[in-house]
Amino acid sequence: MYCVQEVSPQIFWVGGSDRRLERFENMFPLPNGISYNSYLILDKKTALLDTADSSISSLYLENVEHVLNGRTLDYLVINHMEPDHCANIQDIVFRYPKVKIVGNSKTFQFIEQLFNFDKKNDYYEVKEQDEICLGEHTLKFYFAPMVHWPEVMFTYETKKKILFSADAFGTFGALNGNIFSDEIDFKPVYLSEARRYYTNIVGKYGPQVQNILKKLSDTDINMICSLHGPIWRKNLNYILDKYNKWSNYEPEKQGVILVYASMYGHTENAVSIIANKLSERGVKDMRIYDVSKTHPSYIIADAWKYSNIVFGSPTYNMGLYYGMEFLIREMARLNFQKRKVSLIGNGTWANRAVKIMEELLEGMKNMEIVGTPLEIKSSMKKEQEGEFDKLAESICNSMK
């Protein structure tokens, strides 16, 4: 049975949600599932914008067939070739053999890598700002390479001023009947998952996101239709401002995230003491995470949100505790930058945690070490409390 909604007259959402999938890309937890959005335009010519993941193929193909209602499909526009959006290309081509596949040279390269069918004669290659007229609606194409794959492009529908934005402005989380952001309580339900999606999937490519934001800065946009999550038709500046901050690596607010690794509780205790001292000095809205328990995608998302980070870790086999090392290396790989960082190291017979964390942070851009790093020998002693007070004071001063 089909499940479609009208986005605008003659434009339909034909996607679906997967609430069973445990991990996105087999890496990132999906406690609330995920949506796969696709859009179909009915005009003198018909155009389908992207397909969907194989997990919803049956529903998706029924949706397309229902909206077409016996009409043929003229164009299949591929904004993004990642398999969670392109998995049904082959089924669409077989069902509608006269369809023209719209994309760029990279799009067609990836099609030939992923599929075995031969539709070269039906490729419709577009260049930057080329247009396709469907009748009343015209599609205009803006290339957005590395947001977050090299073939990515955005499609702009000029009549209703709708931007079909590939993965940009998307979020983890299934849709629950309502497909528009103004129909849901977006901030408590989706914002943290939108941030986690951006930081872990797109975050490495901040400069490329800035490029496409600048390219579209003079374009009148009434609606943003992403491939994941709700559609934006009101208060677009809210999500655009978030993307501008996230892609500039600017914190959204002053605050502290405290991240620790701890084998027997001593490093955890040291981090808890710092958090308590920060609270006594008026710091609000802190987050504490155990790297061995919390998936790094959640920690990275909050690191993007807040201005200050405290890393606390023991030495392990003359190196850094592996969970902490993985987290910091992953943050570096994602181009994380522009934060104030404080360090706590622990060691019983060789304290190297602080030194290794400093070396890892040196490879990241615009990272400021706040305060004198604390080094604990096995467990905190009363005579070290003054050092904790000084570090807490330094962190507070850095936030003013």
Side-chain angles (χ1 to χ4, degrees), residues 306-355:
Y306 292 103
S307 60
N308 288 64
I309 308 171
V310 175
F311 289 119
S313 178
T315 302
Y316 192 84
N317 280 342
M318 298 295 289
L320 190 62
Y321 189 90
Y322 75 91
M324 182 62 73
E325 182 169 358
F326 173 83
L327 173 66
I328 299 176
R329 287 190 182 278
E330 179 66 5
M331 293 170 76
R333 191 187 68 82
L334 291 170
N335 203 22
F336 185 72
Q337 56 187 273
K338 298 182 182 178
R339 291 302 185 277
K340 297 173 181 179
V341 181
S342 302
L343 302 175
I344 301 172
N346 194 350
T348 298
W349 46 272
N351 201 336
R352 285 183 42 79
V354 165
K355 180 176 175 56

Side-chain angles (χ1 to χ4, degrees), residues 293-311:
K293 183 176 181 181
T294 303
H295 191 274
S297 66
Y298 292 97
I299 301 173
I300 287 167
D302 267 350
W304 235 273
K305 180 179 180 180
Y306 292 103
S307 60
N308 288 64
I309 308 171
V310 175
F311 289 119

Side-chain angles (χ1 to χ4, degrees), residues 210-331:
Q210 281 292 305
N211 288 341
I212 190 63
L213 290 176
K214 290 171 184 174
K215 187 185 291 188
L216 294 168
S217 61
D218 295 327
T219 303
D220 189 11
I221 301 172
N222 290 334
M223 193 180 299
I224 298 175
C225 295
S226 176
L227 291 176
H228 293 295
I231 295 167
W232 289 85
R233 63 180 178 182
K234 294 182 180 179
N235 195 20
L236 271 60
N237 284 336
Y238 178 83
I239 193 65
L240 288 168
D241 179 66
K242 293 296 183 187
Y243 258 63
N244 189 46
K245 279 189 171 66
W246 294 341
S247 58
N248 271 313
Y249 305 95
E250 300 287 352
E252 293 171 64
K253 64 183 299 185
Q254 295 291 313
V256 184
I257 172 175
L258 301 99
V259 186
Y260 71 86
S262 191
M263 290 182 284
Y264 302 108
H266 299 300
T267 309
E268 178 186 8
N269 183 51
V271 167
S272 296
I273 290 169
I274 286 291
N276 189 65
K277 290 184 178 296
L278 291 172
S279 178
E280 290 175 341
R281 288 163 171 78
V283 177
K284 300 177 181 179
D285 195 21
M286 291 180 283
R287 298 284 188 273
I288 299 179
Y289 290 113
D290 180 347
V291 297
S292 297
K293 183 176 181 181
T294 303
H295 191 274
S297 66
Y298 292 97
I299 301 173
I300 287 167
D302 267 350
W304 235 273
K305 180 179 180 180
Y306 292 103
S307 60
N308 288 64
I309 308 171
V310 175
F311 289 119
S313 178
T315 302
Y316 192 84
N317 280 342
M318 298 295 289
L320 190 62
Y321 189 90
Y322 75 91
M324 182 62 73
E325 182 169 358
F326 173 83
L327 173 66
I328 299 176
R329 287 190 182 278
E330 179 66 5
M331 293 170 76

